[in-house]
Amino acid sequence: MAGGILRRQNTWLLTDSEWEWRLQTGNPEAEQPVAAAVKDERAQRPAFLAALVDLCLCWPFLDPELHAVQGILAGEESVESRLLGLVRTHGEHAIFLYTHRRMAITAEDVCLERVVPITEGFSAEEVTPDSDLHIIGSDVTVQISSEDAQLVVRLPFGSHTRTFLQEISKCHPGVVGSEDINENEKNLVVNHSWSHNSDDKATPRQSKSNMDVTSEMVRSSSGMVSDKACILSEQKFGLRDTIVKSQLVLKEDSYTYLQNFRFFIGTYNVNGQSPKDSLLPWLSHDVEPPDVYCVGFQELDLSKEAFFFNDTPKEEEWFKAVTDSLHPGAKYAKVKLVRLVGMMLLLYVKADHALNISEVEAETVGTGIMGIMGNKGGVAIRFKFHNTSVCIVNSHLAAHTEEYERRNQDFKDICSRMQFCQSDPNLPPLTISKHDVILWLGDLNYRIEPLGLEKVKMHIEKEAFQDLYQYDQLKKQMDAKAVFDGFTEGKITFQPTYKYDTGCDDWDTSEKCRAPAWCDRILWKGKNISQLSYRSHMALKTSDHKPVSSIFDIGVKVVNEELYRKAFEEIVRSLDKMENASIPSVILSQREFFFKDVKYMQLQVETFTIRNGQVPCQFEFINKLDEDHYCKEWLIANPSKGFLLPDSEMTIELELFVNKSTATRLNSGEEKLEDILILHLDRGKDYFLSVMGNYLPSCFGSPIQTLCYMREPIRDMSAESIRELTLLPLQMSDDIFRDEKPLDIPKELWMMVDHLYRNASQQEDLFQQPGLRSEFEQIRDCLDTAMLDMLLGSNHSVAEALLLFLESLPEPVICYSLYNNCLHCANNYTLSNQVVAMLPICHKNVFNYLMAFLRELLKNSGKNHLDVNILASIFGGLLLRPPPHHPTPDVTEKRKARQFIEQFLLRDGNSP
């Protein structure tokens, strides 16, 4: 293939003698030449990948705007990974297949293998391999056929694959709707087994189970939906579809009836152990087999590899143990598995219910140190069972008796940050609270206080569980409505599930001698939920926790098809009368907003309401001319788009949050808190909203060199002085500021390190246990104003503030320009020292100061349980960060960064 590459507007062009292909992207840019004269396969690679740079940068988590996905190409004797990209030209399309190295991060790692034109004779059918039954929520196997190629590709479950396959369906001239797809298997098969209907009743793919659940069963189920609402079977989502969906939700009671289904909910903290015994005593305790299994684990793997790289063999071990221990009285299909570090959640249903499961999505939220580490947090699966939406959350909250406020904060963070994409792109993401049924399980870590160890054991011996329950932290916090507001927990009639000596039922006899507690809990929220049992399972002795289970009867809304058809037809008739009556208009309760005294990483929220008139309307905040987003990076509207029925209203939240990516320009005054939002009504007019505010400058987000020249707190500095110092060049000559010698290190950094050196050298879990957000705000204000001589807050809060400070530096301690040098000499201390010597003096001082401090912490490793591996992994990613626009570091790169820091921690040095 010979030709060239050109970029026009939002399309990359690849030309040769016969074709002019376009790779669809979402980033309009001016026309610019990229490469030419591509003659053989190896020569094509860098030229074409120059046009695919955006796609390579976010590998393997591809931007959904790019119609591409990673898959597994199944051959006769082997399986190989491929990258598939959808490419288009003037009404014609093709699929490009790329080979790649194991961790593809640059153009040199990816190579164009073949092009499959989407022409007559092309088909892409979902198939069920003979060797593997379908699994709901797992990989999709697609057979791609053309005149000169036949491929079988396994694609990952999720929104990327769904978008990719939906885009293929638009490319094929023979596909006009899902009904045609099901009737003609020679057409491109993009059926309901992996794509979503606009009426939210699509049926996902079926599961690997103990019975043969085939793709034919899935397709037959989708016909029911198409018959009920053929208008909604089209893949394009429009205003009419949204109106019909909204009206159907309002009339749901008229065409559904309740039917009880039995749910098993189980939670088990396995303390990093592998399964030793059968899980039947836990999972199959009852005579009647449940309809649905929701099984959650915590601390699946406690190794450093799992913590820092989210990689563990324990996932497969425990998955097999669960699958082998499901109730023998029924056959089950696995719906979905999701894991974040040591938290794993598994969902199974009876095989004969599999056709009634749809809209399966999974998400994770890490709430560990810096709000991102996945050793604590939550994993969740949401799905639709018949017409009832269900969300299952498995969480592992902060440890230690005194940290109940941190546990409350973890819960709130999971609720606010856990968002599930909807199949209709016009609708905002779903939060946990937007479900009919919520089942929450996990190691919530709430303890019993203020009773002493002996009194707790005395209550347990007397089986006075209700008396003991009065001292339970979770009960107290729920009574105060500080956490799990609106949730219910059943009566606890079993002894505490933590902490036991592994292998027996004896309470903890270790040096710490932890007091027993009900750490492992199951709660629920929603209507038509009846708890039948709530128990622990003492027979399992693998861990220092005991597993817990609960059986529920849950009333699920099942659709009466005849009544549904009547309701649908009635809505369509009324919609026909309503359409074109008039243009939509709304009333906004407020159009001007001012955010006062905005601070670093402190959320401020303003609200307003949209009141709709007599015409249904769809609204969306739209981009301004020549801008890529509808608002500035520090602002977000929630929701940013939605739908309003006549005479209804919706509250919109404007959230202003300054973080590391925006703080520097706000500190220097290069950017102001000023923005204009455009609220657009579909078929209606635009409304303009003014947003303004004042930002209080902070040491967070300020360059090291700037802070070294600030002898006064940053809040006491004039805006002009802050701007002048922030814009200082990184490498300055000696004659600049000759009358003022800079500090060796920033005073703010010294305050935090000095506090930890004096108070936290023996603190257990330092830099691993997160602090409180309220305490971080106090620490930030103290550093920015110097109103106090000492920092307030716990050692964990100060430690987290130090990490956040290092993360916020616009130029990291190891300058971007030396990043690759550090990786290349990660195993050579002499060369590494030479790289450090090349740093600007302020940066070099900070690096040496931090290394000396960390070495001091390691002298107390017997008390604080820190080791070189932990500290090097945490600080390696902060001190040594890749430059902007550099591909996201893979595991190998992260390990090299860790090794670079390790060299300095293993050397003797001076204390800070």
Side-chain angles (χ1 to χ4, degrees):
M1 179 185 297
I5 300 177
L6 199 66
R7 193 168 192 177
R8 294 180 188 162
Q9 296 181 344
N10 64 333
T11 303
W12 288 107
L13 301 179
L14 170 64
T15 63
D16 67 8
S17 57
E18 297 182 19
W19 299 93
E20 180 180 83
W21 296 108
R22 301 184 181 208
L23 177 74
Q24 300 169 334
T25 72
N27 300 310
E29 287 187 12
E31 178 177 300
Q32 65 180 67
V34 181
V38 205
K39 293 190 175 179
D40 57 46
E41 190 172 281
R42 181 165 294 276
Q44 293 172 24
R45 182 176 61 194
F48 188 75
L49 264 296
L52 282 173
V53 63
D54 290 339
L55 185 130
C56 291
L57 282 175
C58 52
W59 174 274
F61 304 105
L62 297 169
D63 188 309
E65 291 289 324
L66 296 169
H67 304 313
V69 69
Q70 180 193 2
I72 301 296
L73 183 63
E76 295 182 0
E77 299 181 355
S78 63
V79 292
E80 300 176 357
S81 181
R82 291 290 187 274
L83 178 64
L84 285 75
L86 178 60
V87 180
R88 68 179 174 84
T89 183
H90 313 287
E92 298 180 345
H93 305 79
I95 295 175
F96 279 47
L97 273 77
Y98 301 90
T99 60
H100 63 89
R101 295 176 183 169
R102 183 174 178 271
M103 295 298 291
I105 57 176
T106 69
E108 294 300 316
D109 297 324
V110 185
C111 181
L112 179 62
E113 181 182 46
R114 69 170 73 186
V115 175
V116 181
I118 301 178
T119 57
E120 289 300 324
F122 174 90
S123 67
E125 301 183 61
E126 182 185 347
V127 298
T128 304
D130 296 335
S131 59
D132 194 14
L133 302 180
H134 268 15
I135 303 177
I136 306 173
S138 68
D139 293 346
V140 185
T141 301
V142 177
Q143 181 172 297
I144 298 174
S145 301
S146 67
E147 293 180 355
D148 56 357
Q150 184 160 327
L151 311 171
V152 176
V153 184
R154 196 162 69 242
L155 305 178
F157 174 79
S159 57
H160 295 307
T161 293
R162 183 168 66 240
T163 300
F164 182 73
L165 295 175
Q166 286 174 344
E167 290 301 319
I168 292 179
S169 73
K170 298 174 185 178
C171 300
H172 195 270
V175 176
V176 294
S178 57
E179 294 179 18
D180 290 343
I181 293 170
N182 287 325
E183 291 171 2
N184 184 1
E185 293 191 353
K186 291 299 180 183
N187 284 341
L188 174 69
V189 177
V190 184
N191 58 53
H192 300 290
S193 60
W194 50 255
S195 65
H196 293 269
N197 283 332
S198 353
D199 65 352
D200 280 348
K201 292 181 178 54
T203 305
R205 294 163 289 111
Q206 299 311 309
S207 173
K208 175 187 284 188
S209 68
N210 297 327
M211 71 167 290
D212 189 359
V213 184
T214 66
S215 57
E216 284 70 24
M217 295 170 64
V218 182
R219 292 173 188 169
S220 64
S221 73
S222 66
M224 177 184 71
V225 178
S226 298
D227 293 341
K228 285 191 293 189
C230 60
I231 188 174
L232 299 180
S233 65
E234 298 178 10
Q235 306 224 356
K236 180 179 179 181
F237 297 101
L239 177 60
R240 185 181 177 92
D241 295 354
T242 306
I243 295 173
V244 172
K245 284 176 58 178
S246 301
Q247 292 283 1
L248 283 171
V249 171
L250 293 177
K251 293 177 175 288
E252 187 177 51
D253 290 343
S254 69
Y255 60 83
T256 61
Y257 61 92
L258 289 179
Q259 180 177 337
N260 278 344
F261 291 90
R262 188 150 294 186
F263 281 62
F264 174 98
I265 312 297
T267 178
Y268 193 8
N269 182 319
V270 297
N271 192 33
Q273 305 298 310
S274 295
K276 297 181 177 66
D277 304 309
S278 170
L279 303 181
L280 281 168
W282 173 38
L283 301 178
S284 303
H285 186 275
D286 296 282
V287 175
E288 184 178 342
D291 297 293
V292 179
Y293 270 104
C294 309
V295 183
F297 293 95
Q298 307 83 41
E299 294 191 356
L300 204 71
D301 192 331
L302 299 177
S303 70
K304 304 298 185 297
E305 288 289 308
F307 180 70
F308 292 110
F309 305 118
N310 197 25
D311 187 25
T312 175
K314 300 288 181 66
E315 176 183 313
E316 184 63 30
E317 294 175 9
W318 283 101
F319 165 61
K320 184 178 186 305
V322 171
T323 304
D324 292 344
S325 299
L326 299 178
H327 202 292
K331 296 178 179 179
Y332 291 91
K334 173 197 157 196
V335 178
K336 190 67 177 170
L337 180 156
V338 59
R339 182 179 63 81
L340 175 65
V341 187
M343 294 172 286
M344 183 169 76
L345 181 60
L346 286 158
L347 176 64
Y348 299 82
V349 298
K350 278 185 177 177
D352 50 3
H353 296 322
L355 302 182
N356 300 306
I357 298 288
S358 64
E359 299 176 32
V360 182
E361 294 288 345
E363 289 295 341
T364 67
V365 169
T367 62
I369 192 75
M370 301 170 66
I372 55 174
M373 285 295 190
N375 58 319
K376 295 294 188 291
V379 296
I381 299 172
R382 64 90 53 197
F383 60 98
K384 206 163 186 180
F385 189 23
H386 288 280
N387 231 47
T388 293
S389 60
V390 182
C391 184
I392 316 293
V393 184
N394 170 27
S395 67
H396 191 188
L397 308 185
H400 306 304
T401 302
E402 68 279 5
E403 296 290 347
Y404 65 90
E405 289 183 332
R406 178 67 218 193
R407 290 188 272 280
N408 295 352
Q409 182 175 304
D410 286 349
F411 167 78
K412 294 172 184 175
D413 286 347
I414 293 169
C415 289
S416 64
R417 291 167 51 196
M418 190 78 75
Q419 296 189 335
F420 305 92
C421 293
Q422 297 201 65
S423 55
D424 186 343
N426 294 313
L427 298 178
L430 287 173
T431 58
I432 293 172
S433 62
K434 300 295 186 182
H435 290 81
D436 300 321
V437 173
I438 305 169
L439 301 168
W440 198 299
L441 58 106
D443 180 359
L444 306 188
N445 251 326
Y446 287 93
R447 308 303 171 93
I448 295 170
E449 65 168 1
L451 289 181
L453 174 63
E454 295 307 320
K455 288 187 177 180
V456 172
K457 289 183 177 180
M458 182 183 69
H459 278 79
I460 296 171
E461 289 174 6
K462 294 179 179 179
E463 296 188 356
F465 299 136
Q466 286 308 298
D467 291 340
L468 186 60
Y469 179 62
Q470 303 308 310
Y471 298 94
D472 176 71
Q473 286 180 339
L474 180 55
K475 178 190 183 304
K476 293 179 182 179
Q477 295 302 304
M478 289 180 67
D479 289 346
K481 298 190 181 299
V483 71
F484 286 102
D485 190 23
F487 281 79
T488 303
E489 183 180 23
K491 183 178 180 180
I492 294 180
T493 59
F494 49 89
Q495 69 184 48
T497 56
Y498 173 85
K499 179 182 185 185
Y500 295 87
D501 286 342
T502 302
C504 64
D505 295 333
D506 297 335
W507 296 114
D508 181 25
T509 59
S510 69
E511 180 183 352
K512 294 180 182 177
C513 204
R514 303 279 194 195
W518 286 295
C519 289
D520 310 282
R521 313 289 274 266
I522 297 172
L523 302 93
W524 74 90
K525 186 177 184 179
K527 297 179 180 179
N528 308 310
I529 303 173
S530 175
Q531 188 179 54
L532 305 182
S533 68
Y534 190 22
R535 58 170 77 100
S536 67
H537 299 266
M538 300 295 291
L540 275 71
K541 309 179 193 300
T542 300
S543 172
D544 55 357
H545 290 249
K546 298 297 181 183
V548 172
S549 71
S550 182
I551 302 291
F552 294 95
D553 266 350
I554 297 180
V556 172
K557 292 173 285 188
V558 179
V559 174
N560 179 305
E561 294 178 45
E562 184 177 349
L563 295 178
Y564 178 95
R565 192 189 308 276
K566 290 180 180 178
F568 175 80
E569 291 171 353
E570 180 182 328
I571 291 169
V572 172
R573 280 196 298 270
S574 64
L575 184 59
D576 290 339
K577 296 177 183 178
M578 187 187 307
E579 283 186 337
N580 301 319
S582 62
I583 63 172
S585 65
V586 298
I587 297 175
L588 306 184
S589 64
Q590 187 176 344
R591 297 199 192 188
E592 295 183 354
F593 304 88
F594 187 83
F595 292 83
K596 183 180 179 181
D597 294 342
V598 177
K599 299 178 180 180
Y600 183 79
M601 284 189 68
Q602 186 163 329
L603 177 68
Q604 285 198 31
V605 180
E606 294 282 343
T607 63
F608 70 96
T609 58
I610 306 177
R611 178 74 190 181
N612 192 24
Q614 300 303 309
V615 179
C617 80
Q618 200 157 283
F619 69 87
E620 180 178 6
F621 289 96
I622 61 173
N623 299 356
K624 296 178 283 295
L625 188 65
D626 298 327
E627 294 192 10
D628 296 331
H629 198 55
Y630 71 85
C631 66
K632 297 289 179 63
E633 195 174 351
W634 37 261
L635 185 65
I636 189 170
N638 186 23
S640 63
K641 53 188 173 182
F643 171 76
L644 287 166
L645 290 169
D647 292 323
S648 65
E649 65 178 35
M650 182 179 294
T651 298
I652 306 295
E653 293 184 339
L654 297 180
E655 302 175 356
L656 198 158
F657 188 75
V658 175
N659 59 16
K660 61 183 180 182
S661 62
T662 54
T664 304
R665 293 180 62 83
L666 290 169
N667 280 336
S668 68
E670 295 174 272
E671 185 175 341
K672 303 289 186 184
L673 292 179
E674 297 175 355
D675 200 4
I676 298 292
L677 301 183
I678 304 175
L679 180 66
H680 172 73
L681 303 187
D682 188 21
R683 299 183 301 118
K685 70 175 190 175
D686 294 341
Y687 298 79
F688 295 85
L689 287 75
S690 170
V691 178
M692 300 182 69
N694 70 295
Y695 181 67
L696 300 180
S698 174
C699 63
F700 289 84
S702 296
I704 291 177
Q705 188 160 276
T706 299
L707 294 174
C708 285
Y709 274 98
M710 286 185 180
R711 294 184 176 273
E712 300 297 323
I714 192 169
R715 296 265 188 92
D716 291 347
M717 304 279 293
S718 68
E720 183 180 350
S721 297
I722 295 174
R723 177 181 175 83
E724 185 178 9
L725 292 174
T726 302
L727 298 179
L728 286 176
L730 189 59
Q731 295 278 10
M732 296 194 310
S733 61
D734 294 337
D735 59 347
I736 299 181
F737 289 97
R738 61 171 68 121
D739 296 331
E740 182 179 355
K741 184 179 184 301
L743 301 170
D744 290 334
I745 62 173
K747 57 189 179 303
E748 297 84 359
L749 175 66
W750 175 84
M751 286 186 69
M752 289 184 283
V753 171
D754 183 67
H755 177 98
L756 295 172
Y757 179 61
R758 288 185 290 104
N759 300 295
S761 292
Q762 298 183 10
Q763 176 71 57
E764 185 178 352
D765 291 335
L766 194 67
F767 297 118
Q768 298 169 85
Q769 175 79 14
L772 288 173
R773 187 168 300 137
S774 59
E775 292 182 350
F776 165 75
E777 292 169 0
Q778 293 176 336
I779 294 165
R780 176 206 58 212
D781 289 346
C782 184
L783 296 173
D784 290 341
T785 63
M787 292 179 64
L788 298 174
D789 292 332
M790 59 178 292
L791 298 178
L792 302 176
S794 69
N795 292 334
H796 293 303
S797 295
V798 177
E800 186 168 23
L802 173 60
L803 298 181
L804 291 170
F805 173 82
L806 295 172
E807 182 192 39
S808 74
L809 294 172
E811 183 82 27
V813 176
I814 303 290
C815 299
Y816 288 132
S817 59
L818 298 176
Y819 176 76
N820 287 324
N821 301 53
C822 293
L823 298 186
H824 292 150
C825 61
N827 293 312
N828 188 317
Y829 179 69
T830 301
L831 292 179
S832 297
N833 238 338
Q834 292 174 7
V835 173
V836 172
M838 297 166 63
L839 291 171
I841 185 65
C842 294
H843 285 248
K844 181 167 60 177
N845 290 343
V846 168
F847 181 81
N848 291 331
Y849 182 71
L850 288 171
M851 293 300 102
F853 166 58
L854 298 180
R855 286 193 292 266
E856 284 298 309
L857 290 181
L858 290 173
K859 293 178 181 179
N860 293 281
S861 59
K863 295 285 187 180
N864 58 35
H865 299 157
L866 292 171
D867 60 33
V868 170
N869 195 347
I870 292 174
L871 291 178
S873 296
I874 293 171
F875 282 85
L878 295 172
L879 306 182
L880 189 58
R881 304 201 306 261
H885 310 303
H886 183 89
T888 302
D890 59 16
V891 172
T892 301
E893 212 165 304
K894 290 178 181 178
R895 287 189 175 126
K896 286 184 177 179
R898 181 188 67 191
Q899 290 165 1
F900 180 85
I901 301 299
E902 278 179 356
Q903 299 175 102
F904 295 91
L905 298 183
L906 294 171
R907 292 296 191 277
D908 292 332
N910 298 321
S911 301

